[in-house]
């Protein structure tokens, strides 16, 4: 009997050690599990419409499922800073872009239909983007905080300016799919190229002048190497040559802050 115990105890110890090892390996993986954006994806597919394909989208605020949106936002708000930090950079970036856009839609719905522009939500003392009313990592934050304190300095990708949407006609279109960690780089590049190709940016051959969205004026410092050099990589989307982009004078178009409403 003693011999059986002697043989059995080492086997038990080995089995226990294997279980501990599996637990140690599995715990970080569970912590880093990606966030499920399928609720937001479904809402976008249902309520974002494209009057001009790949150029102009409109949001059906009148019929937007507020209950489903709130359920998604509650899931966003439940994510802790430690869980977020365990994700890959791409997973984090997709999460923050979706959070910004979903909270913006909720913000509009808080006053809809008595609203003609997101700027109606501000006042003389505070812009709508600075109001702290959105839960993220256990505290109330503003849209400006998400964009300017988290997204822009944290991920150094100027294409986000074609993805973070402010609910205005002159904004880049709100996409009808959610951003995801595994596809965010490709999604951002596609959104950026489509934005350049839209009527919000164009080249005047007679004047040798590039007319760009005011977004490029506000954030031109985000484009490494200078705006002309950076955009020359995407000359085909502007329907001119790289040399023309590099030499072009730039003017910025007026911004239409009217609500991107589908009605």
């Amino acid at each position: 009997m003693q011999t059986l115990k002697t043989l059995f105890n080492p086997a038990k110890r080995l089995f226990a050690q294997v279980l501990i090892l599996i637990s140690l390996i599995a715990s970080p993986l569970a912590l880093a599990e990606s966030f499920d954006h399928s609720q937001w994806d479904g809402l976008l597919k249902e309520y974002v419409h494209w009057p001009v394909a790949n150029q102009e989208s409109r949001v059906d605020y009148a019929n937007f499922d507020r209950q489903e949106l709130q359920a998604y936002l509650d899931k966003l708000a439940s994510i802790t800073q430690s869980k977020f930090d365990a994700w890959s950079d791409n997973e984090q970036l997709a999460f923050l872009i979706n959070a910004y856009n979903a909270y913006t839609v909720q913000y509009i719905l808080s006053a809809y239909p008595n609203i003609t522009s997101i700027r109606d939500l501000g006042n003389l003392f505070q812009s709508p983007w600075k109001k702290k009313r959105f839960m993220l990592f256990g505290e109330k934050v503003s849209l400006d905080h998400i964009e300017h304190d988290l997204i822009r300095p944290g991920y150094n990708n100027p294409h986000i300016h074609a993805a973070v949407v402010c609910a205005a006609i002159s904004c880049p279109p709100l996409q009808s799919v959610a951003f995801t960690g595994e596809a965010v780089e490709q999604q951002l590049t596609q959104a950026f190229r489509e934005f350049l190709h839209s009527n919000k940016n164009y080249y005047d051959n007679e004047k040798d002048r590039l007319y760009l969205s005011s977004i490029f004026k506000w954030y031109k410092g985000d484009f490494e190497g200078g705006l002309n050099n950076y955009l020359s990589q995407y000359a085909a989307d502007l329907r001119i040559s790289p040399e023309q982009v590099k030499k072009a004078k730039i003017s910025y178009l007026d911004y239409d802050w009217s609500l991107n409403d589908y009605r």
Side-chain angles (χ1 to χ4, degrees):
M1 193 71 177
Q2 183 64 35
T3 304
L4 288 175
K5 286 184 178 179
T6 304
L7 291 172
F8 182 66
N9 287 340
K12 283 183 68 177
R13 284 197 298 272
L14 178 60
F15 182 67
Q17 289 169 350
V18 170
L19 288 179
I20 291 171
L21 181 60
I22 291 173
S23 175
L24 288 173
I25 293 172
S27 294
L29 291 176
L31 187 65
E33 184 180 343
S34 63
F35 187 87
D36 181 8
H37 294 286
S38 59
Q39 271 182 303
W40 178 232
D41 188 73
L43 289 168
L44 292 170
K45 284 181 168 63
E46 180 73 19
Y47 300 108
V48 175
H49 303 277
W50 293 81
V52 182
N54 302 322
Q55 290 195 34
E56 297 283 346
S57 76
R58 297 289 183 270
V59 180
D60 185 3
Y61 295 109
N63 296 302
F64 211 95
D65 190 333
R66 299 181 185 221
Q67 185 174 351
E68 189 73 5
L69 175 60
Q70 188 59 56
Y72 174 71
L73 295 175
D74 289 343
K75 284 175 58 180
L76 289 177
S78 72
I79 296 300
T80 62
Q81 184 71 60
S82 60
K83 186 163 189 175
F84 176 84
D85 291 342
W87 293 339
S88 68
D89 283 355
N90 282 351
E91 186 70 31
Q92 292 176 1
L93 181 55
F95 177 87
L96 292 173
I97 293 172
N98 289 332
Y100 185 100
N101 290 338
Y103 274 129
T104 297
V105 170
Q106 184 203 45
Y107 204 7
I108 297 300
L109 291 174
S110 71
Y112 190 87
N114 303 313
I115 182 174
T116 60
S117 167
I118 190 172
R119 295 196 296 183
D120 295 344
L121 299 171
N123 54 51
L124 290 175
F125 306 101
Q126 193 175 45
S127 85
W129 295 279
K130 293 189 181 299
K131 289 187 176 181
K132 294 182 179 181
R133 52 173 291 135
F134 313 105
M135 290 304 299
L136 196 64
F137 311 136
E139 62 178 338
K140 282 189 176 181
V141 301
S142 66
L143 291 175
D144 266 3
H145 175 75
I146 298 174
E147 181 178 8
H148 303 310
D149 297 333
L150 300 180
I151 295 177
R152 289 178 62 212
Y155 303 92
N156 193 31
N157 187 333
H159 294 175
I160 64 99
H161 296 301
V164 172
V165 180
C166 61
I169 293 293
S170 285
C171 283
L174 180 63
Q175 297 296 311
S176 50
V177 296
F179 289 88
T180 62
E182 61 269 19
V184 68
E185 292 287 348
Q186 296 89 340
Q187 289 175 309
L188 286 174
T189 298
Q190 180 179 343
F192 185 72
R193 294 185 65 180
E194 288 177 352
F195 182 52
L196 288 180
H197 193 75
S198 74
N199 58 10
K200 295 180 175 69
N201 302 281
Y202 64 89
Y203 181 76
D204 188 321
N205 279 290
E206 292 184 3
K207 297 181 179 179
D208 188 27
R209 185 173 290 273
L210 196 55
Y211 290 88
L212 298 177
S213 164
S214 289
I215 288 173
F216 290 104
K217 174 174 66 176
W218 301 330
Y219 301 115
K220 60 184 176 182
D222 289 1
F223 295 88
E224 188 176 351
L227 193 52
N228 290 72
N229 283 333
Y230 190 91
L231 293 181
S232 69
Q233 303 171 75
Y234 302 95
D237 300 299
L238 291 164
R239 297 173 290 280
I240 54 178
S241 70
E243 291 72 24
Q244 285 175 298
V245 178
K246 289 179 180 179
K247 295 177 181 178
K249 298 173 183 177
I250 293 178
S251 292
Y252 299 100
L253 300 170
D254 292 337
Y255 211 78
D256 184 351
W257 286 102
S258 302
L259 190 64
N260 61 340
D261 195 6
Y262 181 68
R263 64 177 177 180

